Amino acid sequence: MSRKVLLVSSPQYLDKAELVLSACSHLSQHSITVLLEQEHIDSLNKLGVAVPSDVLGYDGSEVELAVVLGGDGSILRAAELLRGTKAPILGINAGHFGFMAEAESGSLISALDVVISKRYQVRDRLALEVVVASQGNETYRSWALNEVTLEKSARERMLEVVIEVDSRPVSSFGCDGVLVATPTGSTAYAFSVGGPVIWPNVEALMMIPLSAHALFARPLVVGPQTQLAIEVLRRSSGAGVLWCDGRRTFDLPPGSRVEVRQSGEPVPMVVLEDEPFADRIVKKFSLPVTGWRGPDSEK
């Protein structure tokens, strides 16, 4: 059976187009069929980039894995495309930050060689399932790899909410919103609003109030089997909006209830090497470690 790989990238940039063509050529030389989203192919054509004739449009058919050339946003796009399949995702950073990426664009060919020889490992990342209900009826259902965020829809309004852990109320306050994140998402939106960094091998969920008017509005870290809920109180002066990974959205009128739990369907990610997560944090955030002597140094 022919091997197929989905290639995901941001099609509007010429520098990304060069990487895409290089990846297509290398994979094709090793009898691997490359698939691109039709929208991506059309965008490349508009840029005057000739897409190789052996590259096919992605129609949702089965692929071995997705290779992402871009940043974390492109990885989230790949996760969305492959939801419901067992195909893992390999991130190669060609974006600004790329915290979830396994390699940098300068090592594209060596990363692809690992794919070609099937020498990679796959590890599951915890994902979230979210259900919205209004007046006792389910109105929306989705999922997220990074975070589920409930935010106020109008800048001048405040949301009045109650947060709940395992069917027990914990606190009520006015706020700009509430965020529920996975360990993967702990270095994304959650990090920027003061949440802790959670190692990806830790199974946990995190809830963070956003600009809450309350004395007790600290991040909560709970076990993976915990069910978290946020209710938008009927007395709330404004409506809310739900975002899943910043990609899928749903409007929340007062009286809405948002329940978030661990999804039964994790997101498989390709691992090229066992780099310590601490090293990745130091590298990505350019953290100072001058003076470190290490455990084997003479104290």
Side-chain angles (χ1 to χ4, degrees):
M1 179 183 291
S2 173
R3 298 176 66 188
K4 295 181 179 180
V5 167
L6 172 63
L7 202 56
V8 178
S9 186
S10 300
Q12 64 268 38
Y13 302 108
L14 280 173
D15 58 338
K16 302 286 196 312
E18 294 177 1
L19 284 173
V20 168
L21 292 181
S22 178
C24 289
S25 174
H26 194 67
L27 291 170
S28 296
Q29 289 173 13
H30 292 84
S31 303
I32 296 178
T33 300
V34 178
L35 296 92
L36 295 175
E37 291 181 84
Q38 188 58 51
E39 178 183 355
H40 193 169
I41 294 174
D42 294 341
S43 295
L44 290 173
N45 289 333
K46 288 179 181 178
L47 288 173
V49 176
V51 178
S53 58
D54 56 353
V55 172
L56 305 179
Y58 179 61
D59 58 2
S61 59
E62 183 178 348
V63 295
E64 179 180 326
L65 80 165
V67 174
V68 178
L69 299 173
D72 289 342
S74 295
I75 291 177
L76 292 174
R77 171 61 179 161
E80 190 175 55
L81 288 171
L82 295 179
R83 190 66 176 168
T85 75
K86 300 295 184 182
I89 299 165
L90 169 60
I92 300 176
N93 183 34
H96 175 66
F97 197 61
F99 202 95
M100 289 189 283
E102 275 293 301
E104 297 297 319
S105 58
S107 57
L108 170 63
I109 299 303
S110 60
L112 293 179
D113 284 340
V114 175
V115 172
I116 291 165
S117 60
K118 296 186 178 182
R119 289 183 284 111
Y120 58 86
Q121 301 177 49
V122 177
R123 292 181 186 162
D124 287 339
R125 293 291 185 97
L126 183 152
L128 301 173
E129 177 185 354
V130 56
V131 177
V132 179
S134 182
Q135 298 181 342
N137 298 313
E138 182 179 319
T139 56
Y140 182 71
R141 181 181 292 265
S142 190
W143 67 280
L145 172 58
N146 269 358
E147 74 277 315
V148 171
T149 312
L150 189 162
E151 299 178 355
K152 62 182 184 180
S153 56
R155 181 174 181 177
E156 69 277 9
R157 300 291 184 181
M158 183 183 296
L159 284 176
E160 294 284 344
V161 303
V162 174
I163 59 173
E164 176 189 297
V165 178
D166 282 337
S167 301
R168 303 306 302 166
V170 172
S171 189
S172 175
F173 43 73
C175 61
D176 286 351
V178 179
L179 180 150
V180 178
T182 66
T184 301
S186 71
T187 50
Y189 191 175
F191 178 81
S192 70
V193 294
V197 174
I198 301 178
W199 260 235
N201 63 340
V202 175
E203 292 196 342
L205 309 180
M206 173 170 46
M207 176 184 279
I208 308 174
L210 304 176
S211 301
H213 291 248
L215 290 176
F216 183 77
R218 296 292 184 263
L220 304 177
V221 179
V222 298
Q225 303 306 316
T226 303
Q227 176 176 290
L228 301 172
I230 308 110
E231 292 188 358
V232 182
L233 298 179
R234 295 188 184 280
R235 68 170 185 263
S236 183
S237 61
V241 59
L242 183 77
W243 287 95
C244 298
D245 285 338
R247 302 186 59 83
R248 298 169 295 282
T249 185
F250 184 76
D251 292 332
L252 300 170
S256 296
R257 176 181 173 85
V258 179
E259 295 182 350
V260 185
R261 61 177 64 86
Q262 179 182 4
S263 171
E265 185 180 333
V267 176
M269 303 285 287
V270 170
V271 177
L272 297 181
E273 58 183 59
D274 285 323
E275 176 190 31
F277 188 66
D279 289 354
R280 179 170 296 195
I281 289 177
V282 168
K283 181 170 57 178
K284 292 296 184 179
F285 291 117
S286 299
L287 299 179
V289 292
T290 303
W292 182 72
R293 299 172 66 186
D296 296 328
S297 299
E298 182 180 340
K299 303 299 182 182

